[in-house]
Amino acid sequence: MRHGRHVLVMMAALAAGSVATEASAGSVQRSVTNRNVSIETVVQFGDSVQPVTIEENSRINIARVIQVGGTGTADATIVQNGTRNYANVIQVGGITNAVIGQSGVSNTAGITQIGNSTNALLLQIGDMNTGTVRQFGRFNWLAIFQFGR
C-alpha cells in the first residue's frame, strides 16, 4: 500500500508540473503539489546519487534536496516560480553541483556543499531575496545573481 501511495503522489506531482528524478536505491522522495502550495523533498545517499531536478510553479514553493554521496558527483537543480519561494540544497560528494533559480516576490535559498570540488549558481528575481552559500572543498566556484523586480 505504501508503494501505491508513492506512485499516486508521483503521478499527481507530474500532472501538476512538478518534476523530480527517479528514486535511486538509497533515496526518499516526498511531494505535495496544488495551485497554492508545492512542497518537494528528495533525500539520497550512497555511492551513486542520481541528478535531481525540481520545478515548482505554485503560489508558495518549498523544495529541499539532501544528497550524501561517496566520491561521485551530486547534482541538484531547483527552479521555482511563485509568490514565495524557499529552496535548500545540502550536498556531500566528490563533486557537488547545485543550481537554484527563483522568481517571485520573496525568495529564500540556502546551499551547503562539502566535497573536493563544489559548484553553485544562485539566481533570484524578486523584491526580497535572501541567499546563503557554504562551500567546504579544495576547489570552490560560486555565482550569485539577485535582481529586484
Side-chain angles (χ1 to χ4, degrees), residues 86-104:
Y86 305 93
N88 187 276
V89 175
I90 299 170
Q91 296 175 313
V92 178
I95 300 172
T96 60
N97 302 308
V99 176
I100 297 177
Q102 298 174 312
S103 177

Side-chain angles (χ1 to χ4, degrees), residues 9 17 21 26 31 49 56 61 72 89 100 103 122 124 130 134:
V9 169
T21 62
S31 64
V49 296
E56 297 176 314
N61 300 305
V89 175
I100 297 177
S103 177
L122 175 58
Q124 295 176 314
T130 302
R134 296 168 205 84

Side-chain angles (χ1 to χ4, degrees), residues 135-146:
Q135 294 178 313
F136 304 95
R138 289 185 63 203
F139 305 100
N140 303 314
W141 180 85
L142 166 63
I144 298 175
F145 300 95
Q146 293 177 312

